[in-house]
Amino acid sequence: MEDQLPKFDIPGDFITGDFITKEILDFYKAYPCKIKSAIFVIISDGQIDATVNLTRYTLKRDDFVIIFPNTFIQIHEIEGNIKLHFVAFSSTFLDEANIISHSLDFLPLLIDNPIISLPEETALICRDFMDLLIRSYFSSDNLLDKENYRFILMFMLKQISKYYQNNAHLQNEGISRDRVILKEFMQLLLLNYTREHSVTFYAKALGITLQHFCNTIKKVTHKTALEIISGMIITDAKAQLKSTNLAIKEISLTLGFTNQAFFNKFFKQHTGLTPQEYRKSE
C-alpha cells in the first residue's frame, strides 16, 4: 500500500484512501518534498506541524489541505492518533484536464491559503464525500473510471472556488497595504523563483520602489526579501537533491544557475554543506 502513496507523484491517474499512518507520514519529515500531483486532504484526528512552501502551519481536525502541483511540503511533528482522508490526481492527468485554466480565479488565494479550517458540519460532509469515493474506488465493480476522475476534480475545484468567494476574510479587503505587498510578492516568487533571483525584479513587478519593497518585506516578515527568495531556491534544491537522481549541474540549471560553481557556493553558504554532501547526508 505504501508504494501507492503520492510521495511526489502518483503512478496512476487517481488514488483515494484513508490508510495513511504516522509511520508513513514520517517519510515527509526527512527533507522538503516537491509534490507534482494535486492532493486534497481532510484531517479527521490528530495534529500535524508542517511547512507548506515557506509557511509553517499546525494542521488539526476539520482542516482541509489543498496541495497543488509544485508545492513544497515538509512535516516536522505529528501528534495524536493521526487519521486523514485524501484524494490525489497525477501530474499527467492534471495536464490532460488543463487544471490551471480551471483554477485561475482562485489560484492566488490558494497560494496564500492552502489550509482551510472547515466548520464541523461542512467537514463531516467532506468526509462523507471522500468515504463514498474510497468505497467506489476499491469496489470490485470498478465504479470509477477516467471520466469520473475528471468530474470529481472539476467538482472539487468548483467547490473550493466557491468557498474562497464566500469567505471575504481571505480577500485583500481589510488587510493592510504592507500585507498585500507580501502576498503579491509570494505569489510572484512561487511562479518565478527558478528564473528570477534578484530583489529588483520583484520590486519592479509589483510597481514599487526597491527601498519601499525591501522595507515592507522586512517589516512584515522580519526577514529580508533576499532571504525569502534564497529560502525558496534552497528548499527546491534540497528536494531535488534528495528525491531525484539528477546531476547537480542539471539541478542548478533548473533553478536558474548557469554556473554550477556559483550554485555550489550559494548552496553551501545557506546550508553549510555542498550539494553533494547534502545529497549523501541522512
Side-chain angles (χ1 to χ4, degrees):
M1 189 66 77
E2 185 174 352
D3 290 339
Q4 296 177 296
L5 292 175
K7 295 177 179 177
F8 307 107
D9 205 349
I10 60 175
D13 290 323
F14 173 84
I15 186 173
T16 183
D18 59 359
F19 51 76
I20 297 181
T21 65
K22 180 179 181 298
E23 289 70 29
I24 293 173
L25 288 174
D26 281 341
F27 172 86
Y28 295 89
K29 294 177 73 172
Y31 50 86
C33 300
K34 187 176 185 179
I35 304 299
K36 296 181 179 179
S37 53
I39 311 173
F40 304 90
V41 180
I42 185 163
I43 310 295
S44 299
D45 200 3
Q47 187 169 291
I48 302 173
D49 180 22
T51 294
V52 180
N53 289 325
L54 296 181
T55 304
R56 196 150 175 166
Y57 298 91
T58 298
L59 313 178
K60 59 190 183 306
R61 179 179 172 83
D62 295 344
D63 280 353
F64 189 77
V65 187
I66 309 160
I67 300 172
F68 253 34
N70 299 320
T71 294
F72 294 97
I73 64 170
Q74 184 171 10
I75 292 175
H76 304 292
E77 296 294 337
I78 301 169
E79 297 181 14
N81 183 25
I82 196 69
K83 182 175 177 58
L84 53 83
H85 295 67
F86 74 91
V87 174
F89 301 86
S90 74
S91 59
T92 302
F93 181 81
L94 296 174
D95 288 340
E96 294 175 357
N98 197 13
I99 186 176
I100 296 300
S101 67
H102 292 285
S103 55
L104 286 176
D105 60 336
F106 69 93
L107 193 56
L109 285 170
L110 171 59
I111 292 173
D112 293 325
N113 305 278
I115 317 300
I116 302 172
S117 295
L118 298 176
E120 185 176 355
E121 183 178 357
T122 305
L124 180 59
I125 293 171
C126 184
R127 286 190 194 90
D128 287 344
F129 174 71
M130 289 197 178
D131 280 335
L132 177 60
L133 292 182
I134 293 168
R135 290 198 299 273
S136 300
Y137 180 76
F138 287 103
S139 72
S140 58
D141 296 327
N142 296 318
L143 297 177
L144 297 181
D145 58 18
K146 196 161 190 172
E147 189 58 35
N148 292 135
Y149 302 156
R150 186 173 287 104
F151 172 78
I152 292 165
L153 174 60
M154 294 303 110
F155 174 78
M156 296 187 76
L157 291 177
K158 183 176 181 179
Q159 293 305 307
I160 292 167
S161 175
K162 184 177 180 180
Y163 180 86
Y164 284 128
Q165 292 169 5
N166 292 340
N167 286 268
H169 67 279
L170 297 176
Q171 309 289 338
N172 285 342
E173 291 84 353
I175 301 177
S176 71
R177 176 57 184 159
D178 288 349
R179 291 214 167 262
V180 171
I181 289 173
L182 173 62
K183 290 178 68 173
E184 292 176 349
F185 167 48
M186 294 306 298
Q187 292 165 10
L188 283 169
L189 180 61
L190 287 168
L191 294 173
N192 294 282
Y193 74 90
T194 58
R195 299 180 301 274
E196 301 291 346
H197 301 171
S198 76
V199 175
T200 302
F201 167 83
Y202 294 98
K204 286 184 177 179
L206 291 171
I208 58 180
T209 67
L210 180 61
Q211 182 175 0
H212 180 44
F213 172 66
C214 291
N215 289 344
T216 299
I217 299 303
K218 180 71 173 179
K219 174 184 175 183
V220 177
T221 68
H222 305 292
K223 294 181 181 179
T224 67
L226 187 58
E227 286 174 334
I228 294 173
I229 295 168
S230 299
M232 181 59 75
I233 296 168
I234 291 297
T235 296
D236 195 335
K238 286 180 174 180
Q240 292 196 62
L241 286 165
K242 288 292 190 177
S243 64
T244 76
N245 293 319
L246 288 175
I248 292 173
K249 182 178 181 180
E250 292 180 78
I251 293 174
S252 67
L253 288 172
T254 68
L255 294 172
F257 294 88
T258 56
N259 185 312
Q260 184 184 335
F262 182 67
F263 170 69
N264 290 347
K265 181 179 180 181
F266 176 87
F267 190 88
K268 185 167 185 178
Q269 177 185 349
H270 289 87
T271 68
L273 299 171
T274 66
Q276 189 64 32
E277 289 170 342
Y278 179 81
R279 171 168 270 173
K280 292 180 178 179
S281 65
E282 295 183 0

